[in-house]
């Protein structure tokens, strides 16, 4: 058994190159879950003819708009277009429930005052503390991206398949440690020349390439610097609509 990963959006917050924002659908025999839900996620699902009702859980790496602002549109979809009656689990860093509620009220004030036709179940993660959600095991660890709020990388195990998702992060040795033995590492690569403490750049990833322990590694969250120099990149780059069997 394995899993299928559908890259709904491989772009950054600026939708560089016209790419959609972060959203990675993981489908396995036992469960289907979404890694991040950027503002364009529902658009990408309909572009690729993916059924939004298949999602059991949504895992949020951090509370930036290009990673969680697509949630209100899924709530709309599940209320009007494809009514949902089973619970939707939203799993994320501390503060997720409050921020999602505030976002929903800001985008659809009247609807947010009414009960949804399905239950929303929130699970807030503590870095270093594994959580089991049905058949899915989630191992979160903190990464350097925000100064105060918690940003997480997420290692997931489903049907004996290990997937590591970096979220947004600067360089940390934790990426090396947690990548050992995983089947797929979905890793952000926002920059090429620019080097900052809160995002990754291609030269730094290439420097450490031999140290990563993943069977396969795919770079995503690609910014304009990377897209402009893709002919120099010797690692796998994601694109919108990419489907990978793990």
């Amino acid at each position: 058994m394995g899993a299928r990963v559908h890259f709904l959006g491989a772009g950054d917050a600026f939708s560089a190159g016209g790419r959609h924002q972060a959203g990675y659908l993981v489908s396995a025999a036992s469960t289907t879950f979404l890694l991040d839900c950027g503002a364009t996620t529902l658009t990408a699902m309909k572009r690729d003819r993916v059924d939004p009702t298949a999602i059991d859980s949504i895992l949020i790496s951090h509370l930036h708009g290009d990673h969680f602002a697509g949630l209100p549109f899924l709530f709309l979809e599940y209320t009007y277009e494809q009514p949902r009656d089973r619970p939707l689990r939203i799993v994320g860093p501390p503060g997720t429930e409050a921020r999602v509620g505030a976002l929903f009220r800001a985008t659809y004030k009247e609807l947010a005052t009414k009960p949804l036709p399905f239950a929303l179940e929130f699970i807030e993660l503590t870095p270093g503390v594994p959580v089991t959600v049905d058949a899915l095991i989630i191992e979160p660890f903190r990464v350097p991206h925000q100064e105060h709020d918690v940003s997480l990388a997420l290692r997931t195990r489903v049907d004996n398949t290990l997937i590591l998702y970096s979220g947004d992060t600067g360089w940390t040795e934790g990426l090396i440690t947690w990548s050992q033995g995983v089947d797929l590492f979905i890793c952000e690569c926002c920059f090429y020349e620019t080097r900052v403490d809160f995002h990754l750049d291609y030269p730094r990833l290439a420097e450490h390439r031999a140290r990563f322990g993943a069977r396969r590694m795919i770079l995503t969250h690609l910014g304009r610097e990377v897209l402009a120099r893709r002919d120099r990149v010797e690692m796998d780059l994601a694109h919108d609509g990419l489907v990978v069997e793990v």
Side-chain angles (χ1 to χ4, degrees):
M1 292 190 298
R4 171 179 292 183
V5 181
H6 192 134
F7 288 69
L8 296 166
D12 62 1
F14 307 100
S15 296
R19 297 182 176 213
H20 288 70
Q21 295 173 352
Y24 311 93
L25 185 70
V26 182
S27 304
S30 57
T31 191
T32 296
F33 62 95
L34 191 61
L35 288 167
D36 277 341
C37 186
T40 58
T41 296
L42 183 60
T43 304
M45 295 184 81
K46 295 195 172 183
R47 173 201 66 203
D48 293 345
R49 299 182 180 180
V50 174
D51 182 6
T53 66
I55 297 171
D56 298 311
S57 305
I58 301 175
L59 281 54
I60 303 297
S61 65
H62 65 292
L63 298 170
H64 279 167
D66 57 314
H67 292 261
F68 89 114
L71 290 172
F73 304 107
L74 281 179
F75 299 167
L76 284 183
E77 180 77 11
Y78 295 149
T79 299
Y80 298 115
E81 290 293 300
Q82 300 188 72
R84 183 185 183 105
D85 58 9
R86 62 193 179 95
L88 177 66
R89 297 177 184 85
I90 299 177
V91 184
T96 293
E97 183 172 3
R99 287 283 294 278
V100 170
L103 176 66
F104 193 24
R105 290 189 295 274
T107 49
Y108 295 99
K109 182 179 179 181
E110 291 187 7
L111 181 61
T113 65
K114 303 173 183 177
L116 290 169
F118 58 95
L120 277 179
E121 299 177 356
F122 288 91
I123 299 172
E124 298 195 354
L125 299 169
T126 300
V129 179
V131 169
T132 299
V133 180
D134 295 331
L136 175 64
I137 299 172
I138 306 162
E139 297 175 288
F141 64 97
R142 191 167 187 174
V143 292
H145 179 57
Q146 301 179 85
E147 185 175 354
H148 300 295
D149 290 341
V150 174
S151 290
L152 298 171
L154 304 168
R155 190 167 74 172
T156 63
R157 182 186 296 272
V158 59
D159 296 348
N160 293 317
T161 299
L162 271 175
I163 298 171
L164 174 61
Y165 173 48
S166 70
D168 282 3
T169 180
W171 177 254
T172 168
E173 286 289 310
L175 299 174
I176 300 295
T177 302
W178 288 89
S179 71
Q180 303 306 310
V182 305
D183 297 292
L184 176 65
F185 181 12
I186 303 169
C187 185
E188 79 118 287
C189 183
C190 201
F191 295 115
Y192 199 104
E193 286 102 348
T194 301
R195 178 159 291 189
V196 294
D197 294 333
F198 50 88
H199 274 296
L200 292 171
D201 57 87
Y202 175 70
R204 195 190 308 251
L205 291 170
E207 174 188 350
H208 294 283
R209 183 177 184 178
R211 301 178 62 211
F212 293 112
R215 185 168 61 85
R216 185 172 184 187
M217 183 171 177
I218 300 178
L219 306 185
T220 191
H221 203 274
L222 306 174
R224 56 180 175 81
E225 291 184 4
V226 181
L227 295 177
R229 294 157 184 83
R230 69 186 81 186
D231 58 329
R232 305 182 198 174
V233 175
E234 298 180 349
M235 300 172 73
D236 287 347
L237 295 180
H239 58 80
D240 288 5
L242 173 67
V243 177
V244 176
E245 301 286 345
V246 184

